[in-house]
Amino acid sequence: MPGTRIQVFLGKGGVGKTTCSAATALALAERGESSLVISTDPTPSLSHIFEIEGEHREREVSPSLHLTELGLKDVRAMWDERFGRDVYGVFSSFVDIDYPAFVEFVTAVLPGLNEEFMVDYIRRLALESRYRHVVWDTAPLGQTLALLGMPQLLAEHLRAAPRIYSHLRTTGERREPVIEIIGRWRELADACMQFLRREVAFSMVTIPEALSVLQLDDVVEELARYGLRISRLVVNNVVQVADSPFLEQKRAQQQPHLGRLRARYGSVPIVEIPLFPQEVRGVERIRAVSQLLAA
């Protein structure tokens, strides 16, 4: 991929992946390398962390650092423009449903379809090479990875089905064979999967608590099923200095979980981010995290 490096931060809600994404992008920008940090969270908090207001699309928040927040409506509109109609053409051949209802259906039943489009969106950003780095703050890609395999499953179904299905055409003006539309969708899905495997570095963010550690194992195993590996593990909110009975107890509770993470994921770099006494907001506090991530 010419020129652009892609990093994705994964993690369950509340573990600090947005903060880590912001801090990583800031560290890269302060090295003089143009960076874009993107959030596709339905309730994005990047602007909150950088203490800026309003909606933002590639807004410069610091020298060489730009921020983009894409809500559900933004992603849905771009997905529609890119290939939503083609996907609709496939499903409308089997089900009598109008397009607005179809969009509502897929975003409710198949929410990962929006993230599937985001993979293609970021892949095209990399091809444009407008930024040296793109840092994507996202949820775990499980739904997206499953949906990237959907066109292949549909194509295999049609091959095994009676010949009438293979000749089925869409109801639109172009009257295009469904198998051809699925073929185009499959090509896009294959390109996205290859992009994830070859060009993207995955950083997993967690906290040293029982539930988060258990969920981490599930996500890593899910990624591995698709040939994806994490390149770094970030453990957030680690109590390093226990100067009160409360923090001493908290630190004692964290140690077994930290030990398990080190034993299980010792083959990848592990970065421990301390529990800060204040909320990480504003460039100065984000920089404190970025220095730890860049160390």
Side-chain angles (χ1 to χ4, degrees):
M1 195 65 63
T4 301
R5 298 176 180 176
I6 311 296
Q7 295 190 54
V8 172
F9 280 83
L10 304 171
K12 297 294 184 179
V15 297
K17 60 187 176 61
T18 302
T19 300
C20 291
S21 300
T24 298
L26 178 64
L28 294 167
E30 292 190 335
R31 291 194 332 220
E33 302 179 17
S34 61
S35 302
L36 174 68
V37 58
I38 298 177
S39 173
T40 54
D41 194 302
T43 56
S45 57
L46 273 175
S47 57
H48 174 78
I49 289 174
F50 280 101
E51 297 185 316
I52 57 177
E53 298 180 354
E55 297 181 357
H56 309 288
R57 186 72 57 85
E58 299 196 32
R59 169 174 173 172
E60 187 173 36
V61 294
S62 185
S64 298
L65 175 59
H66 291 76
L67 175 153
T68 287
E69 291 181 325
L70 297 173
L72 180 59
K73 289 184 179 179
D74 297 312
V75 175
R76 183 183 295 174
M78 291 187 294
W79 176 78
D80 176 29
E81 178 183 353
R82 177 66 172 162
F83 61 89
R85 292 281 176 178
D86 284 348
V87 177
Y88 170 66
V90 175
F91 285 95
S92 63
S93 299
F94 300 96
V95 181
D96 183 15
I97 184 172
D98 61 27
Y99 186 68
F102 166 75
V103 172
E104 291 296 328
F105 170 77
V106 295
T107 52
V109 178
L110 304 175
L113 209 55
N114 296 306
E115 282 72 29
E116 177 186 351
F117 169 75
M118 283 307 304
V119 175
D120 180 58
Y121 173 74
I122 291 174
R123 181 178 69 92
R124 288 184 288 125
L125 269 178
L127 287 169
E128 293 171 5
S129 297
R130 289 188 290 116
Y131 297 95
R132 178 60 173 154
H133 300 274
V134 173
V135 183
W136 180 18
D137 164 32
T138 185
L141 292 171
Q143 294 172 322
T144 304
L145 295 172
L147 284 163
L148 286 172
M150 182 181 294
Q152 178 66 34
L153 293 175
L154 284 172
E156 291 175 358
H157 166 75
L158 290 179
R159 288 195 198 98
R163 292 183 62 187
I164 186 173
Y165 288 100
S166 298
H167 295 286
L168 189 63
R169 294 176 179 268
T170 62
T171 57
E173 294 179 1
R174 294 172 61 184
R175 300 282 299 166
E176 188 174 9
V178 168
I179 198 70
E180 291 184 11
I181 295 176
I182 293 178
R184 288 206 314 275
W185 187 15
R186 183 174 56 185
E187 288 174 3
L188 177 61
D190 289 345
C192 287
M193 186 61 77
Q194 291 303 315
F195 170 69
L196 290 173
R197 287 175 177 152
R198 297 175 181 175
E199 310 297 340
V200 176
F202 294 93
S203 293
M204 189 68 66
V205 184
T206 190
I207 55 177
E209 296 182 1
L211 180 58
S212 295
V213 171
L214 289 173
Q215 291 175 331
L216 173 67
D217 291 343
D218 292 339
V219 174
V220 171
E221 290 173 5
E222 186 173 42
L223 291 174
R225 285 199 295 271
Y226 293 92
L228 303 173
R229 299 289 185 272
I230 63 171
S231 59
R232 179 173 59 169
L233 175 63
V234 180
V235 187
N236 205 13
N237 292 346
V238 177
V239 177
Q240 296 181 339
V241 178
D243 55 4
S244 71
F246 170 78
L247 289 177
E248 184 61 44
Q249 183 178 3
K250 187 75 171 176
R251 186 176 185 276
Q253 291 173 346
Q254 290 184 347
Q255 290 308 303
H257 304 307
L258 288 168
R260 178 181 177 184
L261 290 171
R262 292 166 186 149
R264 185 170 177 84
Y265 299 103
S267 60
V268 300
I270 299 177
V271 180
E272 296 183 11
I273 306 296
L275 177 66
F276 289 97
Q278 67 282 325
E279 184 179 2
V280 178
R281 292 183 61 190
V283 170
E284 290 303 317
R285 291 179 181 176
I286 296 172
R287 185 176 291 116
V289 178
S290 72
Q291 291 170 348
L292 293 166
L293 289 171

